Amino acid sequence: MKGVPSLNTLAYGLLSLLTYKTYSGYELTQHIQPFWPAKHSQIYPLLASLEQAGYVSHKLVVQHDKPDKKMYAITESGSLKLGEWLAMSAAEPATRDELAFKAYCLHKFAKSPDARRLFEQRAELSRNKLQFLKAKKAEVQARDGRSGDLPTSDSPHFGAYILIDKGLRVFEAELEWCEWVLSQLPE
Amino acid sequence: MKGVPSLNTLAYGLLSLLTYKTYSGYELTQHIQPFWPAKHSQIYPLLASLEQAGYVSHKLVVQHDKPDKKMYAITESGSLKLGEWLAMSAAEPATRDELAFKAYCLHKFAKSPDARRLFEQRAELSRNKLQFLKAKKAEVQARDGRSGDLPTSDSPHFGAYILIDKGLRVFEAELEWCEWVLSQLPE
DNA sequence: CTTTTCATGTAACAAGTTACATGATTAA
DNA sequence: TTAATCATGTAACTTGTTACATGAAAAG
């Protein structure tokens, strides 16, 4: 006897996105990146298996200028499954960052211009992320009506909003760290 | 014709740790966690293959109260290989966090006490990490002699120090974020 | 007495990446 | 004309996790 098929985190992530609106596999692949990096080769088969399990369903949308696409929606059964998962404790986040290893070895090459370059590149990355998130924030605020004001916890955009806020806080901290390290490194 | 064996990030990570001192596979598994989560079942075979490639070597240390262990050291060849890698640009960090998905779905269960619990647990996790890092910081400062003063970029502990500093900044930001979210959520 | 720590390994499985495969439209 | 975007999929491979396997010492 085997119970209900158990889903992995990526699968729950797809269901999470689909609580907002319908998406194609292509769109899901793009939108899930900031939360959970994954390639289309992982998403497409997973969507197929979620559909087989009855947690999502799709409608084919015929397009003329672009290839046809499959628009996926979460089902009642998928919503229930997601609801159970939402109530459970979240696992510890896992971050894997090459730069941490390279930073740890700074005593081996701190005088090299390569060392400075690593932190300049990371600072640039943080600045780009911050710029992206600031644009997103404005977008969500506009969509929520009262511009300048923050969405409240009952707003449908509250989830999106707090995640943008988290990104802003964390990337700001990372940028400041990079700039501090650069100030400590010899020119 | 096949060139030099190419290493993955975890392998370079092990070499990075070994630039400080010798470690057993067991110790490497523990110390690498904050940088790059990995299980011993991944570390042990990787160490064996690094040794076969000549990048590390080990000496068996016989113990009486505990099981014998293999103490690994980086070789000259391993140092060269690591040096090449250090000079290369670091890939974008990858973070995978379940809580992001659950936060994104807050409109589905913001009123539930489960929602509050998720952020309370994450806040607690951040507090624990901060406490750990503060202890580490004091430890490194003590080891570096001038207590209260920060190690300079030529200190052998500079790498360890800046990583602790990064953790402090980022987990501080995450903790503040959790507390802010909790202030927005209904009791 | 039961669990944790120390210590090393392998086998089976799940998750994630890269490469292969196709093909029209549009922008540079 | 070359590259990028849109759109879906599979095959082969690498990476990472869980489970199996052993066993002594120490702490609760």
Side-chain angles (χ1 to χ4, degrees), chain A residues 152-169:
Chain A
T152 51
S153 67
D154 54 330
S155 156
H157 306 117
F158 186 65
Y161 183 75
I162 63 170
L163 286 172
I164 290 166
D165 189 80
K166 189 195 175 185
L168 287 171
R169 288 168 191 262

Side-chain angles (χ1 to χ4, degrees), chain B residues 165-182:
Chain B
D165 188 80
K166 189 196 175 184
L168 287 171
R169 288 169 190 263
V170 169
F171 286 115
E172 195 70 64
E174 220 178 289
L175 176 57
E176 278 168 24
W177 174 72
C178 288
E179 284 167 349
W180 171 75
V181 172
L182 284 166

Side-chain angles (χ1 to χ4, degrees), chain A residues 131-143:
Chain A
Q131 211 181 354
F132 174 82
L133 287 168
K134 278 172 190 163
K136 276 276 159 203
K137 185 177 177 176
E139 204 184 288
V140 169
Q141 278 175 336
R143 207 167 30 188

Side-chain angles (χ1 to χ4, degrees), chain A residues 32-63:
Chain A
I32 210 166
Q33 296 308 316
F35 303 114
W36 196 278
K39 314 285 176 184
H40 74 268
S41 54
Q42 205 180 359
I43 308 276
Y44 288 128
L46 189 52
L47 280 170
S49 80
L50 282 172
E51 184 155 45
Q52 250 198 317
Y55 300 133
V56 301
S57 64
H58 84 267
K59 274 178 189 159
L60 189 75
V61 174
V62 179
Q63 298 183 117

Side-chain angles (χ1 to χ4, degrees), chain B residues 32-177:
Chain B
I32 210 166
Q33 296 308 317
F35 303 114
W36 197 278
K39 313 285 175 182
H40 73 268
S41 53
Q42 205 180 358
I43 307 277
Y44 288 128
L46 188 52
L47 280 170
S49 78
L50 282 171
E51 184 155 45
Q52 251 198 317
Y55 299 134
V56 301
S57 64
H58 83 268
K59 274 178 188 160
L60 189 76
V61 174
V62 179
Q63 298 183 117
H64 308 287
D65 47 337
K66 299 178 211 170
D68 300 348
K69 59 181 173 180
K70 296 180 177 177
M71 292 302 282
Y72 285 90
I74 190 168
T75 63
E76 194 59 41
S77 157
S79 271
L80 283 169
K81 188 84 178 171
L82 179 62
E84 286 167 32
W85 180 73
L86 291 176
M88 301 192 334
S89 298
E92 266 197 54
T95 303
R96 290 192 167 91
D97 187 358
E98 281 189 21
L99 186 63
F101 290 137
K102 299 194 182 198
Y104 196 65
C105 291
L106 266 182
H107 62 287
K108 297 253 315 175
F109 75 128
K111 281 149 215 131
S112 155
D114 293 327
R116 280 195 75 84
R117 198 172 39 80
L118 286 174
F119 292 94
E120 269 152 14
Q121 283 172 350
R122 178 56 56 92
E124 191 55 25
L125 184 71
S126 299
R127 272 184 223 108
N128 292 154
K129 298 261 182 192
L130 283 171
Q131 210 182 355
F132 174 82
L133 288 167
K134 279 172 189 162
K136 276 276 159 201
K137 184 178 179 176
E139 205 185 287
V140 169
Q141 278 175 335
R143 207 166 34 188
D144 207 54
R146 304 151 306 165
S147 61
D149 243 8
L150 43 142
T152 51
S153 67
D154 55 328
S155 156
H157 306 115
F158 186 65
Y161 183 75
I162 63 170
L163 285 172
I164 290 166
D165 188 80
K166 189 196 175 184
L168 287 171
R169 288 169 190 263
V170 169
F171 286 115
E172 195 70 64
E174 220 178 289
L175 176 57
E176 278 168 24
W177 174 72

Side-chain angles (χ1 to χ4, degrees), chain A residues 4-116:
Chain A
V4 278
S6 74
L7 304 181
N8 62 24
T9 308
L10 181 57
Y12 285 113
L14 294 172
L15 294 182
S16 298
L17 295 195
L18 290 171
T19 61
Y20 275 84
K21 61 189 194 81
T22 63
Y23 285 102
S24 67
Y26 186 85
E27 290 166 336
L28 283 168
T29 304
Q30 295 180 311
H31 286 96
I32 210 166
Q33 296 308 316
F35 303 114
W36 196 278
K39 314 285 176 184
H40 74 268
S41 54
Q42 205 180 359
I43 308 276
Y44 288 128
L46 189 52
L47 280 170
S49 80
L50 282 172
E51 184 155 45
Q52 250 198 317
Y55 300 133
V56 301
S57 64
H58 84 267
K59 274 178 189 159
L60 189 75
V61 174
V62 179
Q63 298 183 117
H64 308 286
D65 48 337
K66 300 178 209 169
D68 299 347
K69 59 182 175 179
K70 296 181 177 176
M71 291 302 283
Y72 284 90
I74 189 168
T75 63
E76 193 60 40
S77 157
S79 271
L80 283 169
K81 189 82 177 174
L82 179 63
E84 285 167 32
W85 180 72
L86 291 176
M88 302 193 333
S89 299
E92 266 198 55
T95 302
R96 290 192 167 91
D97 187 358
E98 281 189 22
L99 186 63
F101 290 138
K102 300 196 181 196
Y104 197 64
C105 291
L106 265 182
H107 61 287
K108 296 258 310 180
F109 76 129
K111 281 150 215 129
S112 155
D114 292 328
R116 280 194 74 83

